[in-house]
Amino acid sequence: MAVIGLGYVGMPLAKEAVAAGLRVVGVDVDPRKVDALNAGQSYIDDLTDADLDHMLVSGFRATLDESVLASSNTIVICVPTPLDEDHRPDLSAVEGATSTVARNLTKDTLVVLESTTWPGTTDEVARPLLEASGLTAGVDFHLAFSPERIDPGNPKFGLRNTPKVVGGYTATCRDRATAFYGQFIEQVVPVSGTREAEMAKLLENTYRHVNIALVNEMAIFCDELGIDLWESIEAAATKPFGFQKFLPGPGVGGHCIPVDPSYLSYTVRKLGYPFRFVELAQEINERMPSYVVARVQRLLNRHKKPVNGARVVMLGVTYKPDIADERETPALPVARALLELGADLSFADPHVKEWSVDGTPVPREEDLAEAVAGADVTLLLQQHAAFDLDMVEAKARLVLDTRGVLTEGERVERL
């Protein structure tokens, strides 16, 4: 089999397939990734160098050469699907990868798209590109969609034990894809078509997006009402039915929540009306970084200090705890706004060695205790396990805790 796109989705897939005894080749357009993988150097949080060494010993290799696809009986496309500057889906990577497959497509091959996208993409975009090869989907080759469900850094659920949704262009396509994934995934969930599989992924992340926006908006007005929302959330979470706990924060990040709901909103708008829940959630969640900066300003003002010239140390610049993934991290717009206000900014993050904002490097603090003791404000954006939070509470002059993990007091405010 071949995996196109050797990132956070493609490499865990390749790892499990190799472990199941499949012969796997990885294809990418980035020579740096290909060289690193073949040298045994992993750049993925969920793939250690030891994991990669085992894969290489078992026959895995990465290549820039698309011709290897012609000898692959299964091809899985795992390329990025970002948004453009206008929040519209950017399918250029999917279209490029699919065209590459079409140039090398042979009879009876299974082609699976895993990249998150709007419902109808597999049938309306990928299928015509593949059929430009002269082969017909459902007749000469098999076509399916199976949404990725990778959660980087999750110690409990990985690719193998997370149920895999599969939808085929035809029933035979679905059965072929189900059998393929069943070789190395514990539970495969077949659905009636590719659109249902595409929608399942968007529904999952839209659900999270909307509920995160709900508690983010509540955090803003609860602060003004003098209500400890964090305590209220924990109290509500004691209900054993009908409630799922979501927590506020400085914004949403990662490869799914800030992006996927916009794909669904784009689809609905083609019908002639907006998807109001998603667009409102987007507005609220995108507002959070500026709200965090406003809270920093307020905290400093209470102690008769301006932001301009204030020493601000940001703790954690990744989008989730205990990983190095910075994709769509809310730390970026927070830092951008603080720099524009004249803050003397630095960061501490055990998983990030270098960090910059729009090309401007931000100094990295090596000694956390010294950094928080010397800063006018410590801004906790991500609760990495490596952070000594007791020390932060004891030594920091002022703290804004955006994750609700510190004890609120005279010097500590929670979002």
Side-chain angles (χ1 to χ4, degrees), residues 74-408:
T74 299
I75 301 170
V76 186
I77 298 172
C78 304
V79 296
T81 47
L83 300 173
D84 64 18
E85 293 180 356
D86 297 318
H87 280 278
R88 294 176 302 187
D90 179 0
L91 294 184
S92 57
V94 168
E95 292 168 342
T98 307
S99 295
T100 299
V101 173
R103 290 193 296 269
N104 299 277
L105 189 59
T106 57
K107 276 197 169 188
D108 296 322
T109 299
L110 168 64
V111 181
V112 184
L113 177 62
E114 286 207 5
S115 305
T116 304
T117 184
W118 46 267
T121 300
T122 305
D123 184 29
E124 299 169 18
V125 177
R127 183 173 62 84
L129 289 171
L130 293 168
E131 290 184 340
S133 64
L135 301 177
T136 302
V139 177
D140 301 309
F141 69 94
H142 303 282
L143 177 62
F145 181 83
S146 181
E148 59 88 5
R149 282 173 157 175
I150 298 297
D151 186 18
N154 190 321
K156 183 176 181 181
F157 291 106
L159 189 137
R160 176 175 289 276
N161 66 343
T162 300
K164 197 84 168 83
V165 174
V166 173
Y169 176 62
T170 66
T172 303
C173 294
R174 177 198 63 209
D175 293 345
R176 171 74 181 272
T178 298
F180 163 69
Y181 284 113
Q183 296 175 90
F184 52 91
I185 293 178
E186 292 174 5
Q187 181 184 0
V188 180
V189 183
V191 295
S192 59
T194 55
R195 283 175 171 80
E196 286 73 20
E198 290 161 337
M199 181 60 80
K201 171 66 173 182
L202 297 182
L203 175 59
E204 293 169 14
N205 287 327
T206 299
Y207 169 79
R208 294 170 63 199
H209 187 53
V210 168
N211 280 283
I212 291 169
L214 172 65
V215 292
N216 275 339
E217 188 165 37
M218 291 183 77
I220 294 170
F221 68 70
C222 279
D223 172 60
E224 296 186 30
L225 292 171
I227 297 170
D228 187 338
L229 177 62
W230 301 94
E231 185 177 352
S232 297
I233 291 172
E234 293 303 323
T238 63
K239 186 178 181 181
F241 54 89
F243 182 82
Q244 183 175 353
K245 183 170 74 174
F246 288 86
L247 298 173
V252 293
H255 61 305
C256 288
I257 304 300
V259 176
D260 296 356
S262 293
Y263 274 69
L264 191 50
S265 178
Y266 168 81
T267 302
V268 175
R269 278 199 170 272
K270 290 194 294 183
L271 300 176
Y273 47 86
F275 188 0
R276 288 180 291 174
F277 263 111
V278 163
E279 294 178 13
L280 178 60
Q282 196 85 24
E283 177 186 331
I284 293 168
N285 287 332
E286 288 182 351
R287 173 188 174 187
M288 291 308 292
S290 62
Y291 175 68
V292 168
V293 173
R295 289 287 299 272
V296 171
Q297 287 180 291
R298 191 180 78 184
L299 189 57
L300 284 167
N301 284 343
R302 285 177 179 168
H303 291 79
K304 298 180 171 51
K305 294 181 180 180
V307 176
N308 191 355
R311 294 187 62 186
V312 181
V313 58
M314 297 171 56
L315 304 190
V317 296
T318 60
Y319 90 87
K320 65 180 297 189
D322 303 324
I323 65 171
D325 197 341
E326 302 169 38
R327 288 176 293 174
E328 306 295 333
T329 173
L332 184 59
V334 168
R336 183 181 293 123
L338 287 171
L339 288 172
E340 288 175 354
L341 290 171
D344 179 6
L345 195 64
S346 62
F347 82 98
D349 195 308
H351 303 281
V352 178
K353 301 306 178 187
E354 296 180 353
W355 194 59
S356 62
V357 176
D358 303 328
T360 300
V362 177
R364 183 176 189 269
E365 300 286 358
E366 300 295 337
D367 187 320
L368 185 61
E370 183 179 318
V372 299
D376 294 302
V377 175
T378 296
L379 178 54
L380 178 61
L381 293 174
Q382 201 55 265
Q383 70 275 35
H384 293 309
F387 289 150
D388 184 345
L389 298 182
D390 291 336
M391 179 276 295
V392 172
E393 284 190 33
K395 293 196 173 185
R397 301 178 191 176
L398 296 172
V399 183
L400 178 62
D401 170 17
T402 70
R403 297 296 179 178
V405 293
L406 302 180
T407 303
E408 196 157 27

